[in-house]
Amino acid sequence: MKLVLSLFASFALAPLATAEVTYTKEISRLFQEKCQGCHRAGDIAPFALDSYEAAKTWGTDIQRVVKDRIMPPWKPTDAHGKFKNDFGLTEDERQMLLDWFTAGAPEGDPADMPEAQPETGEWQLGEPDAVIRMPELYNVPRRKDIYRCFVVPAGFDEDVWVKAVQVVPGNRQVAHHVILYIDETGKSAELDAKDEEPGYECFGGPGQGVQLSAGSMLGGWVPGSRQALLPDGVGLLLPKGARIIIQMHYFPAGKEYADQTKVGLYLAKPEEKLNKRMVFLPVVNTSFRIPAGAKDQAVNAAFPMPAGNIYMVVPHMHLLGKKIEVNHTNFLGRPISTLIKIDDWDFNWQGFYSFVEPVRMNNLDQLRVTCRFDNSADNPKNPSNPLKEVRWGEGTEDEMCLAFMGVTLDNQSLIDLIKLQKHNNRR
Ligand code: HEC
């Protein structure tokens, strides 16, 4: 059917000389949708892509990075899972952009230009209900990759329900990604106290000894990400007295920068009736070994899941990771669908991927994660020299193979039900 339609479309359009692709009609809109999340003034990308002049100036580079699929840095292959705020190029869009350059980059009629993207201001969802920030300015040293955790009391003396978080990096020139954890134990504050500088070092998680549970993931930020509220009735529990760990990955260029990142919390309104707690269940293998020199080592994990809905998937590996995919099967292992598939994993572009439509899990369905690692000297990102056997761990030279699944379960714990009820009774 698709083929017939596109044949028809090209047949219908071919005779019209005016059907040429122009900057003002197609390309400007494509840049708005797929590039300006980062390529705009003050954001992380090194230049704005918001004018015909910019398209011409950067033309050679754009063609190279689009041809090589380096830009836009959207990692999931489009064969699987439909995600919100997808900024990947479809094959048609890619080809259209390349063809447009080949055709001499025609500008077109200025009257065809779209309205400029509205300035959302700092907070994409409006003023947050609460803002927490790193306790003090941190002077980011000039080293290339810095992973640091900063601890902030969330400041609530009762349980609250979070609908969305937005991270506003204090300095977009150096912030590469941010992951937020909830710490109910106080362990993070101990680590913080032991380190003289603000915060403490951490790499693949919230720090040595800070326990991760289904309730300890809060959210994150990667460049270009846009925020969405959780669906009606669904909330993420931020327990009273908890601390929030802001894990920063800094990527400073040639000089020292100061950063004080802040986080906006959007809470469930008293009038919203909540009936589901979202938690992050890890599908994880912690007992693998990747031999020194192994070029393509697979690591798998499969877990039977309880019935419920999947809203989000957050794949995670470190620097040896090459590919990762998460598959949904029935209890016999028969495939149902591929939830996400990333063929060129890049630690620098980790995402929190939200499904457009939640994925339904039946009781005892399985989720399987498959990671592939390159622990050879051919992997330019391999942090170990000499090569060594690698296992699970928090350090830069350790590895992880997991996917956090943001889910709601049909059968919730009694404690969660009571907490949800408590919110609902506040009305
Ligand atoms: C999610 C953020 C993001 C999006 C979306 C994005 N870029 Fe980029 N782009 C970057 C960053 C950051 C850099 C700087 C280099 C780096 O860190 O990889 C960059 C660099 C570039 C460069 C210079 C590359 C070089 O090697 O000199 C080009 C050209 C480019 N982007 C084009 C595009 C185009 C075209 C689009 C849309 C189709 C796009 N980008 C979408 C973040 C983004």
PDB file of all heavy atoms in Angstrom, residues 20-50:
ATOM      1  N   GLU A  20      10.302  21.490  -6.549  1.00  0.00           N
ATOM      2  CA  GLU A  20      11.651  21.359  -5.990  1.00  0.00           C
ATOM      3  C   GLU A  20      11.651  21.692  -4.499  1.00  0.00           C
ATOM      4  O   GLU A  20      10.862  22.503  -4.016  1.00  0.00           O
ATOM      5  CB  GLU A  20      12.643  22.259  -6.750  1.00  0.00           C
ATOM      6  CG  GLU A  20      12.652  23.669  -6.257  1.00  0.00           C
ATOM      7  CD  GLU A  20      13.780  24.511  -6.868  1.00  0.00           C
ATOM      8  OE1 GLU A  20      14.696  23.935  -7.479  1.00  0.00           O
ATOM      9  OE2 GLU A  20      13.725  25.736  -6.713  1.00  0.00           O
ATOM     10  N   VAL A  21      12.524  21.007  -3.797  1.00  0.00           N
ATOM     11  CA  VAL A  21      12.641  21.214  -2.361  1.00  0.00           C
ATOM     12  C   VAL A  21      13.423  22.509  -2.114  1.00  0.00           C
ATOM     13  O   VAL A  21      14.461  22.729  -2.727  1.00  0.00           O
ATOM     14  CB  VAL A  21      13.367  20.009  -1.726  1.00  0.00           C
ATOM     15  CG1 VAL A  21      13.728  20.279  -0.276  1.00  0.00           C
ATOM     16  CG2 VAL A  21      12.509  18.758  -1.859  1.00  0.00           C
ATOM     17  N   THR A  22      12.901  23.359  -1.262  1.00  0.00           N
ATOM     18  CA  THR A  22      13.582  24.630  -0.983  1.00  0.00           C
ATOM     19  C   THR A  22      13.858  24.772   0.508  1.00  0.00           C
ATOM     20  O   THR A  22      13.257  24.079   1.340  1.00  0.00           O
ATOM     21  CB  THR A  22      12.728  25.842  -1.407  1.00  0.00           C
ATOM     22  OG1 THR A  22      11.525  25.841  -0.619  1.00  0.00           O
ATOM     23  CG2 THR A  22      12.402  25.791  -2.881  1.00  0.00           C
ATOM     24  N   TYR A  23      14.748  25.719   0.809  1.00  0.00           N
ATOM     25  CA  TYR A  23      15.017  25.999   2.219  1.00  0.00           C
ATOM     26  C   TYR A  23      13.766  26.514   2.906  1.00  0.00           C
ATOM     27  O   TYR A  23      13.376  26.023   3.960  1.00  0.00           O
ATOM     28  CB  TYR A  23      16.152  27.030   2.383  1.00  0.00           C
ATOM     29  CG  TYR A  23      16.350  27.351   3.840  1.00  0.00           C
ATOM     30  CD1 TYR A  23      17.017  26.459   4.678  1.00  0.00           C
ATOM     31  CD2 TYR A  23      15.803  28.512   4.406  1.00  0.00           C
ATOM     32  CE1 TYR A  23      17.136  26.702   6.039  1.00  0.00           C
ATOM     33  CE2 TYR A  23      15.922  28.756   5.763  1.00  0.00           C
ATOM     34  CZ  TYR A  23      16.593  27.857   6.577  1.00  0.00           C
ATOM     35  OH  TYR A  23      16.701  28.086   7.917  1.00  0.00           O
ATOM     36  N   THR A  24      13.134  27.493   2.288  1.00  0.00           N
ATOM     37  CA  THR A  24      12.023  28.155   2.984  1.00  0.00           C
ATOM     38  C   THR A  24      10.842  27.209   3.206  1.00  0.00           C
ATOM     39  O   THR A  24      10.112  27.366   4.170  1.00  0.00           O
ATOM     40  CB  THR A  24      11.552  29.394   2.211  1.00  0.00           C
ATOM     41  OG1 THR A  24      11.239  29.009   0.875  1.00  0.00           O
ATOM     42  CG2 THR A  24      12.630  30.471   2.200  1.00  0.00           C
ATOM     43  N   LYS A  25      10.682  26.242   2.301  1.00  0.00           N
ATOM     44  CA  LYS A  25       9.539  25.327   2.495  1.00  0.00           C
ATOM     45  C   LYS A  25       9.907  24.127   3.366  1.00  0.00           C
ATOM     46  O   LYS A  25       9.459  24.016   4.492  1.00  0.00           O
ATOM     47  CB  LYS A  25       9.015  24.854   1.134  1.00  0.00           C
ATOM     48  CG  LYS A  25       7.579  25.313   0.888  1.00  0.00           C
ATOM     49  CD  LYS A  25       6.966  24.620  -0.319  1.00  0.00           C
ATOM     50  CE  LYS A  25       6.986  25.554  -1.518  1.00  0.00           C
ATOM     51  NZ  LYS A  25       7.067  24.865  -2.808  1.00  0.00           N
ATOM     52  N   GLU A  26      10.751  23.249   2.857  1.00  0.00           N
ATOM     53  CA  GLU A  26      10.973  21.976   3.566  1.00  0.00           C
ATOM     54  C   GLU A  26      12.135  22.006   4.567  1.00  0.00           C
ATOM     55  O   GLU A  26      12.013  21.516   5.681  1.00  0.00           O
ATOM     56  CB  GLU A  26      11.218  20.835   2.570  1.00  0.00           C
ATOM     57  CG  GLU A  26       9.987  20.421   1.783  1.00  0.00           C
ATOM     58  CD  GLU A  26       9.785  21.260   0.527  1.00  0.00           C
ATOM     59  OE1 GLU A  26      10.605  22.160   0.274  1.00  0.00           O
ATOM     60  OE2 GLU A  26       8.784  21.021  -0.180  1.00  0.00           O
ATOM     61  N   ILE A  27      13.268  22.553   4.110  1.00  0.00           N
ATOM     62  CA  ILE A  27      14.485  22.383   4.920  1.00  0.00           C
ATOM     63  C   ILE A  27      14.408  23.155   6.241  1.00  0.00           C
ATOM     64  O   ILE A  27      14.799  22.655   7.294  1.00  0.00           O
ATOM     65  CB  ILE A  27      15.743  22.796   4.109  1.00  0.00           C
ATOM     66  CG1 ILE A  27      15.802  21.983   2.803  1.00  0.00           C
ATOM     67  CG2 ILE A  27      17.009  22.604   4.930  1.00  0.00           C
ATOM     68  CD1 ILE A  27      15.873  20.470   2.975  1.00  0.00           C
ATOM     69  N   SER A  28      13.863  24.373   6.192  1.00  0.00           N
ATOM     70  CA  SER A  28      13.738  25.141   7.437  1.00  0.00           C
ATOM     71  C   SER A  28      12.878  24.381   8.441  1.00  0.00           C
ATOM     72  O   SER A  28      13.175  24.350   9.644  1.00  0.00           O
ATOM     73  CB  SER A  28      13.122  26.511   7.146  1.00  0.00           C
ATOM     74  OG  SER A  28      11.925  26.352   6.401  1.00  0.00           O
ATOM     75  N   ARG A  29      11.828  23.756   7.948  1.00  0.00           N
ATOM     76  CA  ARG A  29      10.933  23.010   8.851  1.00  0.00           C
ATOM     77  C   ARG A  29      11.624  21.769   9.416  1.00  0.00           C
ATOM     78  O   ARG A  29      11.442  21.399  10.570  1.00  0.00           O
ATOM     79  CB  ARG A  29       9.634  22.651   8.122  1.00  0.00           C
ATOM     80  CG  ARG A  29       8.754  23.874   7.905  1.00  0.00           C
ATOM     81  CD  ARG A  29       7.511  23.608   7.072  1.00  0.00           C
ATOM     82  NE  ARG A  29       6.628  24.769   7.046  1.00  0.00           N
ATOM     83  CZ  ARG A  29       6.783  25.819   6.244  1.00  0.00           C
ATOM     84  NH1 ARG A  29       7.784  25.860   5.378  1.00  0.00           N
ATOM     85  NH2 ARG A  29       5.951  26.848   6.294  1.00  0.00           N
ATOM     86  N   LEU A  30      12.407  21.137   8.547  1.00  0.00           N
ATOM     87  CA  LEU A  30      13.160  19.963   9.002  1.00  0.00           C
ATOM     88  C   LEU A  30      14.165  20.364  10.101  1.00  0.00           C
ATOM     89  O   LEU A  30      14.288  19.688  11.127  1.00  0.00           O
ATOM     90  CB  LEU A  30      13.907  19.346   7.812  1.00  0.00           C
ATOM     91  CG  LEU A  30      14.655  18.050   8.092  1.00  0.00           C
ATOM     92  CD1 LEU A  30      13.669  16.899   8.262  1.00  0.00           C
ATOM     93  CD2 LEU A  30      15.629  17.729   6.967  1.00  0.00           C
ATOM     94  N   PHE A  31      14.866  21.465   9.894  1.00  0.00           N
ATOM     95  CA  PHE A  31      15.810  21.940  10.906  1.00  0.00           C
ATOM     96  C   PHE A  31      15.087  22.239  12.224  1.00  0.00           C
ATOM     97  O   PHE A  31      15.582  21.936  13.298  1.00  0.00           O
ATOM     98  CB  PHE A  31      16.521  23.224  10.428  1.00  0.00           C
ATOM     99  CG  PHE A  31      17.629  22.987   9.439  1.00  0.00           C
ATOM    100  CD1 PHE A  31      18.328  24.059   8.894  1.00  0.00           C
ATOM    101  CD2 PHE A  31      17.988  21.704   9.054  1.00  0.00           C
ATOM    102  CE1 PHE A  31      19.360  23.857   7.972  1.00  0.00           C
ATOM    103  CE2 PHE A  31      19.015  21.490   8.132  1.00  0.00           C
ATOM    104  CZ  PHE A  31      19.695  22.583   7.591  1.00  0.00           C
ATOM    105  N   GLN A  32      13.915  22.847  12.110  1.00  0.00           N
ATOM    106  CA  GLN A  32      13.171  23.175  13.336  1.00  0.00           C
ATOM    107  C   GLN A  32      12.858  21.918  14.125  1.00  0.00           C
ATOM    108  O   GLN A  32      13.045  21.853  15.330  1.00  0.00           O
ATOM    109  CB  GLN A  32      11.847  23.867  12.971  1.00  0.00           C
ATOM    110  CG  GLN A  32      12.011  25.320  12.586  1.00  0.00           C
ATOM    111  CD  GLN A  32      10.681  26.053  12.495  1.00  0.00           C
ATOM    112  OE1 GLN A  32       9.627  25.421  12.361  1.00  0.00           O
ATOM    113  NE2 GLN A  32      10.731  27.375  12.553  1.00  0.00           N
ATOM    114  N   GLU A  33      12.374  20.921  13.386  1.00  0.00           N
ATOM    115  CA  GLU A  33      11.883  19.736  14.063  1.00  0.00           C
ATOM    116  C   GLU A  33      13.008  18.825  14.544  1.00  0.00           C
ATOM    117  O   GLU A  33      12.931  18.232  15.617  1.00  0.00           O
ATOM    118  CB  GLU A  33      10.988  18.962  13.081  1.00  0.00           C
ATOM    119  CG  GLU A  33      10.004  18.046  13.745  1.00  0.00           C
ATOM    120  CD  GLU A  33       9.314  17.156  12.720  1.00  0.00           C
ATOM    121  OE1 GLU A  33       9.077  17.636  11.582  1.00  0.00           O
ATOM    122  OE2 GLU A  33       9.055  15.997  13.040  1.00  0.00           O
ATOM    123  N   LYS A  34      14.074  18.696  13.760  1.00  0.00           N
ATOM    124  CA  LYS A  34      15.062  17.664  14.034  1.00  0.00           C
ATOM    125  C   LYS A  34      16.429  18.194  14.484  1.00  0.00           C
ATOM    126  O   LYS A  34      17.275  17.414  14.886  1.00  0.00           O
ATOM    127  CB  LYS A  34      15.253  16.781  12.790  1.00  0.00           C
ATOM    128  CG  LYS A  34      13.962  16.105  12.302  1.00  0.00           C
ATOM    129  CD  LYS A  34      13.510  15.044  13.279  1.00  0.00           C
ATOM    130  CE  LYS A  34      12.135  14.478  13.007  1.00  0.00           C
ATOM    131  NZ  LYS A  34      12.100  13.498  11.945  1.00  0.00           N
ATOM    132  N   CYS A  35      16.678  19.464  14.359  1.00  0.00           N
ATOM    133  CA  CYS A  35      18.012  19.984  14.700  1.00  0.00           C
ATOM    134  C   CYS A  35      17.982  21.047  15.790  1.00  0.00           C
ATOM    135  O   CYS A  35      18.889  21.130  16.616  1.00  0.00           O
ATOM    136  CB  CYS A  35      18.705  20.568  13.469  1.00  0.00           C
ATOM    137  SG  CYS A  35      18.600  19.538  11.992  1.00  0.00           S
ATOM    138  N   GLN A  36      16.946  21.890  15.792  1.00  0.00           N
ATOM    139  CA  GLN A  36      16.988  23.056  16.677  1.00  0.00           C
ATOM    140  C   GLN A  36      16.806  22.723  18.156  1.00  0.00           C
ATOM    141  O   GLN A  36      17.000  23.595  19.009  1.00  0.00           O
ATOM    142  CB  GLN A  36      15.969  24.107  16.244  1.00  0.00           C
ATOM    143  CG  GLN A  36      16.454  24.904  15.047  1.00  0.00           C
ATOM    144  CD  GLN A  36      15.435  25.900  14.559  1.00  0.00           C
ATOM    145  OE1 GLN A  36      14.535  26.314  15.272  1.00  0.00           O
ATOM    146  NE2 GLN A  36      15.563  26.291  13.303  1.00  0.00           N
ATOM    147  N   GLY A  37      16.442  21.482  18.466  1.00  0.00           N
ATOM    148  CA  GLY A  37      16.440  21.077  19.874  1.00  0.00           C
ATOM    149  C   GLY A  37      17.801  21.368  20.501  1.00  0.00           C
ATOM    150  O   GLY A  37      17.894  21.652  21.693  1.00  0.00           O
ATOM    151  N   CYS A  38      18.847  21.296  19.715  1.00  0.00           N
ATOM    152  CA  CYS A  38      20.210  21.568  20.203  1.00  0.00           C
ATOM    153  C   CYS A  38      20.884  22.713  19.452  1.00  0.00           C
ATOM    154  O   CYS A  38      21.643  23.474  20.041  1.00  0.00           O
ATOM    155  CB  CYS A  38      21.083  20.332  20.056  1.00  0.00           C
ATOM    156  SG  CYS A  38      20.419  18.873  20.860  1.00  0.00           S
ATOM    157  N   HIS A  39      20.626  22.807  18.155  1.00  0.00           N
ATOM    158  CA  HIS A  39      21.286  23.840  17.343  1.00  0.00           C
ATOM    159  C   HIS A  39      20.494  25.132  17.382  1.00  0.00           C
ATOM    160  O   HIS A  39      19.808  25.491  16.424  1.00  0.00           O
ATOM    161  CB  HIS A  39      21.451  23.367  15.896  1.00  0.00           C
ATOM    162  CG  HIS A  39      22.500  22.314  15.731  1.00  0.00           C
ATOM    163  ND1 HIS A  39      23.811  22.601  15.456  1.00  0.00           N
ATOM    164  CD2 HIS A  39      22.434  20.969  15.840  1.00  0.00           C
ATOM    165  CE1 HIS A  39      24.518  21.479  15.381  1.00  0.00           C
ATOM    166  NE2 HIS A  39      23.691  20.476  15.620  1.00  0.00           N
ATOM    167  N   ARG A  40      20.538  25.786  18.521  1.00  0.00           N
ATOM    168  CA  ARG A  40      19.920  27.114  18.659  1.00  0.00           C
ATOM    169  C   ARG A  40      20.748  27.888  19.666  1.00  0.00           C
ATOM    170  O   ARG A  40      21.529  27.297  20.426  1.00  0.00           O
ATOM    171  CB  ARG A  40      18.470  26.989  19.133  1.00  0.00           C
ATOM    172  CG  ARG A  40      18.389  26.351  20.485  1.00  0.00           C
ATOM    173  CD  ARG A  40      16.982  26.213  20.990  1.00  0.00           C
ATOM    174  NE  ARG A  40      17.009  25.316  22.149  1.00  0.00           N
ATOM    175  CZ  ARG A  40      15.949  24.854  22.746  1.00  0.00           C
ATOM    176  NH1 ARG A  40      14.772  25.166  22.327  1.00  0.00           N
ATOM    177  NH2 ARG A  40      16.068  24.062  23.791  1.00  0.00           N
ATOM    178  N   ALA A  41      20.545  29.185  19.672  1.00  0.00           N
ATOM    179  CA  ALA A  41      21.377  30.045  20.521  1.00  0.00           C
ATOM    180  C   ALA A  41      21.339  29.566  21.968  1.00  0.00           C
ATOM    181  O   ALA A  41      20.273  29.243  22.491  1.00  0.00           O
ATOM    182  CB  ALA A  41      20.890  31.480  20.423  1.00  0.00           C
ATOM    183  N   GLY A  42      22.497  29.482  22.588  1.00  0.00           N
ATOM    184  CA  GLY A  42      22.570  29.166  24.014  1.00  0.00           C
ATOM    185  C   GLY A  42      22.453  27.690  24.321  1.00  0.00           C
ATOM    186  O   GLY A  42      22.564  27.286  25.475  1.00  0.00           O
ATOM    187  N   ASP A  43      22.216  26.844  23.341  1.00  0.00           N
ATOM    188  CA  ASP A  43      22.093  25.417  23.640  1.00  0.00           C
ATOM    189  C   ASP A  43      23.410  24.692  23.380  1.00  0.00           C
ATOM    190  O   ASP A  43      24.419  25.316  23.074  1.00  0.00           O
ATOM    191  CB  ASP A  43      20.924  24.799  22.858  1.00  0.00           C
ATOM    192  CG  ASP A  43      20.213  23.745  23.687  1.00  0.00           C
ATOM    193  OD1 ASP A  43      20.878  22.764  24.068  1.00  0.00           O
ATOM    194  OD2 ASP A  43      19.017  23.906  23.968  1.00  0.00           O
ATOM    195  N   ILE A  44      23.376  23.384  23.484  1.00  0.00           N
ATOM    196  CA  ILE A  44      24.618  22.623  23.539  1.00  0.00           C
ATOM    197  C   ILE A  44      25.398  22.567  22.224  1.00  0.00           C
ATOM    198  O   ILE A  44      26.616  22.505  22.233  1.00  0.00           O
ATOM    199  CB  ILE A  44      24.340  21.213  24.085  1.00  0.00           C
ATOM    200  CG1 ILE A  44      25.408  20.215  23.648  1.00  0.00           C
ATOM    201  CG2 ILE A  44      23.013  20.698  23.663  1.00  0.00           C
ATOM    202  CD1 ILE A  44      25.534  19.086  24.581  1.00  0.00           C
ATOM    203  N   ALA A  45      24.694  22.588  21.086  1.00  0.00           N
ATOM    204  CA  ALA A  45      25.413  22.449  19.810  1.00  0.00           C
ATOM    205  C   ALA A  45      26.221  23.721  19.514  1.00  0.00           C
ATOM    206  O   ALA A  45      25.857  24.804  19.958  1.00  0.00           O
ATOM    207  CB  ALA A  45      24.428  22.162  18.685  1.00  0.00           C
ATOM    208  N   PRO A  46      27.311  23.574  18.782  1.00  0.00           N
ATOM    209  CA  PRO A  46      28.246  24.696  18.605  1.00  0.00           C
ATOM    210  C   PRO A  46      27.733  25.830  17.713  1.00  0.00           C
ATOM    211  O   PRO A  46      28.356  26.870  17.672  1.00  0.00           O
ATOM    212  CB  PRO A  46      29.490  24.032  18.006  1.00  0.00           C
ATOM    213  CG  PRO A  46      29.041  22.714  17.473  1.00  0.00           C
ATOM    214  CD  PRO A  46      27.839  22.309  18.250  1.00  0.00           C
ATOM    215  N   PHE A  47      26.655  25.629  16.990  1.00  0.00           N
ATOM    216  CA  PHE A  47      26.131  26.718  16.161  1.00  0.00           C
ATOM    217  C   PHE A  47      24.635  26.529  15.986  1.00  0.00           C
ATOM    218  O   PHE A  47      24.110  25.426  16.154  1.00  0.00           O
ATOM    219  CB  PHE A  47      26.821  26.755  14.779  1.00  0.00           C
ATOM    220  CG  PHE A  47      26.813  25.428  14.086  1.00  0.00           C
ATOM    221  CD1 PHE A  47      25.751  25.061  13.270  1.00  0.00           C
ATOM    222  CD2 PHE A  47      27.860  24.525  14.264  1.00  0.00           C
ATOM    223  CE1 PHE A  47      25.727  23.826  12.643  1.00  0.00           C
ATOM    224  CE2 PHE A  47      27.840  23.287  13.649  1.00  0.00           C
ATOM    225  CZ  PHE A  47      26.765  22.937  12.835  1.00  0.00           C
ATOM    226  N   ALA A  48      23.933  27.653  15.659  1.00  0.00           N
ATOM    227  CA  ALA A  48      22.487  27.575  15.451  1.00  0.00           C
ATOM    228  C   ALA A  48      22.207  27.202  13.996  1.00  0.00           C
ATOM    229  O   ALA A  48      22.929  27.604  13.096  1.00  0.00           O
ATOM    230  CB  ALA A  48      21.844  28.907  15.789  1.00  0.00           C
ATOM    231  N   LEU A  49      21.181  26.398  13.793  1.00  0.00           N
ATOM    232  CA  LEU A  49      20.749  26.058  12.420  1.00  0.00           C
ATOM    233  C   LEU A  49      19.368  26.673  12.212  1.00  0.00           C
ATOM    234  O   LEU A  49      18.370  25.965  12.127  1.00  0.00           O
ATOM    235  CB  LEU A  49      20.693  24.542  12.248  1.00  0.00           C
ATOM    236  CG  LEU A  49      22.006  23.874  11.816  1.00  0.00           C
ATOM    237  CD1 LEU A  49      21.833  22.368  11.711  1.00  0.00           C
ATOM    238  CD2 LEU A  49      22.485  24.438  10.480  1.00  0.00           C
ATOM    239  N   ASP A  50      19.348  28.006  12.147  1.00  0.00           N
ATOM    240  CA  ASP A  50      18.060  28.684  12.095  1.00  0.00           C
ATOM    241  C   ASP A  50      17.958  29.685  10.957  1.00  0.00           C
ATOM    242  O   ASP A  50      17.131  30.570  10.986  1.00  0.00           O
ATOM    243  CB  ASP A  50      17.777  29.366  13.438  1.00  0.00           C
ATOM    244  CG  ASP A  50      18.912  30.315  13.833  1.00  0.00           C
ATOM    245  OD1 ASP A  50      19.889  30.420  13.050  1.00  0.00           O
ATOM    246  OD2 ASP A  50      18.825  30.934  14.894  1.00  0.00           O
TER     247      ASP A  50
END
